Amino acid sequence: MTKINQIIVEREVPCTLRDGITLYANIYRPQASGNYPVLLTRLPYNKNLPDFSHRWIDPIRTVMQGYIVIVQDVRGRFASEGEFEPFAQEIKDGYDTVEWAASLSYSNGKVGMFGLSYYAFTQLYALVEQPSALKAIFPAMTGNIFKEPFGESGVLALASAETWLLDSVAPDYLKRKLSSEEYSAAIKELSNDLDQIEEWHNYMPISELPAAMKHPVLQDIYRKYIDQNFNKRAVTQIHARNTSDFMNIPAYHLAGWYDNFLSQTLMNYQQMREYNSNQKLIIGPWGHGMIGSDLGERSFGVNSSALSIAGKEDLTSVHIQWFNHWLKEDNDILQTDEDPVKIFVMGINKWRSEKEWPLQRTVYTNYYFHSDGQANSKSGKLTTATPTDEPRDQFTHDPASPVPTHGGGTLFYNGRNVGPRDQRQIEVRDDVVVYMTPPLDESIEVTGSAKVILWASTDALDTDFTAKLVDVFPDGTAYNLADGIVRAKYQHGESVKNKIVCYEIELCPTSNVFLPGHSIRVDIASSDFPRYDVNPGTGKTTLDTVEMVKAAQKVFHQTEYPSHVILPIIPQ
């Protein structure tokens, strides 16, 4: 291979789509003559900002390894023409852009795609029309194109949805729609609203959020976006295609234990593996786009960072190795016989390779909720023994004073409130019930997706139940590992008022060793706000109502109603 020391950077290179709209890209390529494979990313966040164009992989290093790197503004964003309609536009535009990139005079006709979040979505959508030039992808921390990006079991991921629209979409959208004078006033007002975004999360009804609706040009896109209109249009296009055809491609999936898209990223891996066995997966102790060694209130060690994975390689080198194999057929650089899955195990803070996900050797073990012996208590025990006839636990869910979000796989403004955080300030609330094992005599590894089977009743027409898996340290510090939420009407399809009903709450995956002296704790509540919209208890949602009622919640753990958590335990 020709040694590459000099590169050419071309700015604002046009790509004309089938409908005549022109998108613009920056192209980084070798100065040396020849034809090279293309690595393409398509994003709505401005190709000229280094935090987006250079952060995920280093285009300079990548070009010096014999690639062309293309960073493109998607339709309706920054330099590119057209109207921005998130998700729905990326199928056709993705196909056209891949084929254009392959046709460039200095391209060898092979294209790979990379990027995280929305610019991982653009990879998945580009697959749908099956561009022949697209040979491999590297989707990181992204959603599943068959699901709502900002929803979970029928519940709106409120803070994520509002943050993305106001912070990531609105500034450029306003700039394109307004005069210079109008924009100057609008962006000042938007900046003030972003400074107070935590307060705006409290506003109901959500569909009338003043921070968005005060700008007439934002009203239409906000309403369609919050109603999942764009995503539904994309899903309609996808269902018209044969899934087995467009999912048949090598893909390297990157996820984080505290990423808001963790479950959907793992769903991507599992679905695509059904159609193409050439899938790889890496999961670190990371948040959304946050791939360092420290997260929330914990540090996982220098080699937990994607800048020094197990002390051996960084994220750019991982990309280069992957694409060398699929775009250059360099079998020596990618070890094709290595295990396809690499996970970071928290607690012991070590990387480990695995042959599959979920792990086949998992022993799913029931840990049952038990009363502490007092009626209407809010704390109890967690053991492998089945319950007898024990007193129920009870709490009041007040949607006007919901349990606040404290860590987890969040996507809040500027990365706030993400990751592992001490839960004690949450667990002392009267509307949180906790169940805990005694201090452990030996280590227990939990790797995979836990599930809570909760027998409960409510006196409201509709309600939510949340569950959280927590690692309690000997000093009492309690760090959250995984969580989940369920909305009654989506799981049971009818009013649950005054009925004892079994709720299944899927917790997001995790990997953690509970060390000797630690305890396993499960927290039960009925809100996690503003991560999720609060359930008003009326049968409606706060998308379109401000009416709320308190709900009396009862948790049962008896022979007939054995509430428990199913832990994915890995034998030592």
Side-chain angles (χ1 to χ4, degrees), residues 456-463 465 488 496-499 503 551-554:
S457 71
T458 181
D459 66 352
L461 290 174
D462 186 29
T463 196
F465 282 102
V496 294
K497 185 174 182 178
N498 297 323
K499 298 177 183 177
Y503 297 92
Q553 316 289 63
K554 298 174 183 177

Side-chain angles (χ1 to χ4, degrees), residues 206-457:
I206 298 165
S207 60
E208 298 298 327
L209 180 69
M213 302 304 288
K214 68 175 64 172
H215 306 285
V217 297
L218 284 182
Q219 291 177 5
D220 185 59
I221 190 172
Y222 177 73
R223 286 191 176 119
K224 288 179 178 178
Y225 159 74
I226 210 72
D227 288 338
Q228 303 290 340
N229 175 276
F230 298 118
N231 180 68
K232 290 173 183 175
R233 284 166 48 197
V235 170
T236 298
Q237 297 178 63
I238 292 166
H239 284 325
R241 309 303 207 282
N242 189 333
T243 304
S244 63
D245 291 337
F246 69 79
M247 297 286 271
N248 183 17
I249 190 171
Y252 200 134
H253 307 263
L254 183 144
W257 295 128
Y258 292 96
D259 177 40
N260 60 301
F261 286 129
L262 170 61
S263 294
Q264 293 192 35
T265 299
L266 298 185
M267 187 181 299
N268 292 337
Y269 172 78
Q270 291 174 264
Q271 287 178 343
M272 296 182 73
R273 194 168 178 81
E274 293 179 12
Y275 304 109
N276 188 303
S277 61
N278 297 306
Q279 307 293 309
K280 288 177 72 68
L281 171 68
I282 184 170
I283 316 173
W286 306 320
H288 192 70
M290 306 169 74
I291 53 175
S293 58
D294 293 9
L295 187 69
E297 297 174 2
R298 297 193 68 183
S299 176
F300 295 100
V302 171
N303 293 333
S304 67
S305 167
L307 302 177
S308 177
I309 300 171
K312 297 178 181 179
E313 54 194 357
D314 67 4
L315 198 52
T316 295
S317 62
V318 173
H319 279 78
I320 290 171
Q321 290 174 27
W322 175 249
F323 289 117
N324 277 348
H325 181 74
W326 297 109
L327 304 186
K328 296 182 178 182
E329 298 179 355
D330 193 336
N331 294 304
D332 293 333
I333 293 182
L334 181 72
Q335 298 179 21
T336 54
D337 60 343
E338 69 178 5
D339 291 336
V341 177
K342 180 178 289 187
I343 63 174
F344 187 87
V345 183
M346 298 178 289
I348 58 173
N349 291 351
K350 292 182 179 179
W351 288 99
R352 190 173 73 211
S353 294
E354 296 288 350
K355 297 186 181 302
E356 73 282 310
W357 183 271
L359 310 188
Q360 290 185 3
R361 66 184 184 279
T362 303
V363 177
Y364 291 96
T365 306
N366 294 351
Y367 275 72
Y368 294 91
F369 300 171
H370 293 275
S371 169
D372 65 358
Q374 300 179 20
N376 299 328
S377 173
K378 62 175 294 295
S379 64
K381 301 175 183 178
L382 192 64
T383 78
T384 56
T386 55
T388 56
D389 291 333
E390 303 175 2
R392 68 196 180 203
D393 298 322
Q394 182 169 313
F395 63 94
T396 299
H397 164 56
D398 182 359
S401 180
V403 177
T405 300
H406 191 58
T410 62
L411 180 57
F412 286 18
Y413 183 54
N414 282 344
R416 297 170 186 168
N417 207 349
V418 68
R421 296 176 185 270
D422 189 352
Q423 298 299 306
R424 285 177 291 183
Q425 63 178 280
I426 302 299
E427 293 166 337
V428 297
R429 289 176 57 108
D430 290 336
D431 51 0
V432 179
V433 182
V434 301
Y435 302 94
M436 186 171 71
T437 68
L440 301 176
D441 293 327
E442 56 185 28
S443 296
I444 294 179
E445 179 182 332
V446 170
T447 295
S449 300
K451 179 191 288 188
V452 170
I453 305 299
L454 185 73
W455 289 92
S457 71

Side-chain angles (χ1 to χ4, degrees), residues 485-558:
I485 188 169
V486 65
R487 183 152 289 176
K489 68 181 179 182
Y490 289 104
Q491 191 162 104
H492 294 286
E494 59 184 18
S495 174
V496 294
K497 185 174 182 178
N498 297 323
K499 298 177 183 177
I500 301 176
V501 174
C502 182
Y503 297 92
E504 296 188 9
I505 309 175
E506 296 277 355
L507 275 58
C508 63
T510 191
S511 182
N512 182 75
V513 173
F514 293 84
L515 297 171
H518 289 226
S519 295
I520 302 171
R521 180 181 285 167
V522 173
D523 298 349
I524 302 295
S526 284
S527 49
D528 183 358
F529 182 84
R531 183 176 179 185
Y532 301 110
D533 66 311
V534 67
N535 195 317
T538 61
K540 296 183 178 181
T541 74
T542 52
L543 274 168
D544 50 22
T545 186
V546 296
E547 180 186 358
M548 298 185 292
V549 297
K550 294 181 180 180
Q553 316 289 63
K554 298 174 183 177
V555 176
F556 298 85
H557 32 76
Q558 302 169 356

